[in-house]
Amino acid sequence: MSPPPKSNYMSAANLQAGWITMPETPPHIFHPFFSTRDAQQTCMSMQNANESPTLAELSALVMHPPHGEPNKFLWLGPSGITIGKVNLSADKPRDIMEEVDHMDHRRVEGRLECPVGVSLSEYHMLLAYPHKLNAFSIYTKTVVYEDVWPQDYGNAVGLVNDPTSEFQWLFTKQMTMKYKPMDESRYVWRVFLERGDYAKALMIARSRLQIDPEAHELVLKRQAEKFLADG
């Protein structure tokens, strides 16, 4: 019997002889992550500072965008919420996920307020609490949207994202509610402008030129003033 061919293709003769040629390197992006010999597999860790058994079991991980390769993640854990970057082309597994910011769970009237579900959009993180949904800015960590529902709707059980319709579905034991971001970049250009990131501010303002031409003019004005001040 002849040895198997080196090619990744199979002929009818090879199949009849019982040879199945497999590629030496699986051609998918997760191969380095699963086959690496790097012993340090843990990218991040989150401690339960409150030593609560309930909080210790609190965990959820979501990625964005839902289609194609993700570039950011949100991780809900016992000590809070971590936002970070995803780089599937990183050389080492520990560099695939990079923490950018962390937000501790808030206390309301002395009690710890923890989400029962999380989701992630381009500019916001959505946190579902038992009787309300909050949308936080990824950049400022401030609440930009809040929806509080009546007690008879029941407590929120979870929050899921439908990438096809872009709806965010929140559900209780009694009913479901759907949410969808509308013009969610309307304030983000100003965040980048105040940070001095004129390139990103201008990119977002230009995409909204027909909706808010004043924003585009303001970014150009501030950028020109900065150039003149720097000489």
Side-chain angles (χ1 to χ4, degrees):
M1 183 179 294
S2 60
K6 297 298 183 181
S7 169
N8 290 337
Y9 298 92
M10 295 177 289
S11 68
N14 290 333
L15 287 173
Q16 291 173 2
W19 292 108
I20 300 178
T21 307
M22 300 295 293
E24 295 181 0
T25 303
H28 50 74
I29 58 177
F30 294 109
H31 172 65
F33 184 85
F34 287 105
S35 66
T36 179
R37 296 181 180 179
D38 190 338
Q40 187 174 354
Q41 296 289 339
T42 302
C43 300
M44 297 172 296
S45 63
M46 191 181 298
Q47 301 297 323
N48 180 15
N50 299 278
E51 298 182 354
S52 167
T54 302
L55 288 180
E57 298 177 358
L58 186 66
S59 184
L61 178 67
V62 292
M63 302 280 184
H64 185 83
H67 294 294
E69 294 187 9
N71 54 41
K72 63 171 68 76
F73 73 89
L74 181 153
W75 179 26
L76 169 66
S79 68
I81 297 162
T82 296
I83 291 285
K85 300 176 182 178
V86 178
N87 178 15
L88 296 179
S89 301
D91 294 331
K92 297 181 179 180
R94 61 176 175 268
D95 296 329
I96 291 177
M97 299 175 69
E98 176 187 352
E99 179 178 346
V100 174
D101 205 351
H102 180 82
M103 184 175 72
D104 293 336
H105 294 306
R106 300 181 301 175
R107 287 191 176 274
V108 178
E109 298 179 353
R111 300 180 62 180
L112 208 59
E113 186 179 52
C114 300
V116 298
V118 294
S119 188
L120 190 61
S121 67
E122 186 172 2
Y123 301 115
H124 300 92
M125 47 185 170
L126 283 77
L127 309 182
Y129 296 97
H131 290 287
K132 66 180 179 180
L133 176 77
N134 282 160
F136 286 81
S137 166
I138 291 177
Y139 305 103
T140 64
K141 308 301 181 294
T142 56
V143 177
V144 298
Y145 173 81
E146 182 175 84
D147 183 37
V148 182
W149 53 86
Q151 293 282 342
D152 55 0
Y153 283 14
N155 291 350
V157 177
L159 178 68
V160 295
N161 172 45
D162 176 9
T164 302
S165 66
E166 297 184 357
F167 280 118
Q168 307 284 343
W169 292 90
L170 184 146
F171 54 97
T172 73
K173 291 183 178 181
Q174 286 80 24
M175 63 185 307
T176 60
M177 292 169 275
K178 64 180 180 179
Y179 302 86
K180 188 174 185 178
M182 301 296 291
D183 190 22
E184 67 169 329
S185 65
R186 62 183 176 274
Y187 77 92
V188 181
W189 64 271
R190 188 177 294 276
V191 173
F192 288 118
L193 180 63
E194 297 302 325
R195 293 182 176 185
D197 193 339
Y198 300 105
K200 288 185 178 179
L202 189 60
M203 179 184 67
I204 296 174
R206 187 178 290 123
S207 68
R208 306 182 69 256
L209 188 58
Q210 301 299 323
I211 304 174
D212 189 6
E214 290 81 7
H216 185 256
E217 293 178 5
L218 179 58
V219 174
L220 289 176
K221 179 182 177 182
R222 292 279 188 89
Q223 187 179 39
E225 291 173 349
K226 175 64 175 177
F227 288 156
L228 291 174
D230 292 343

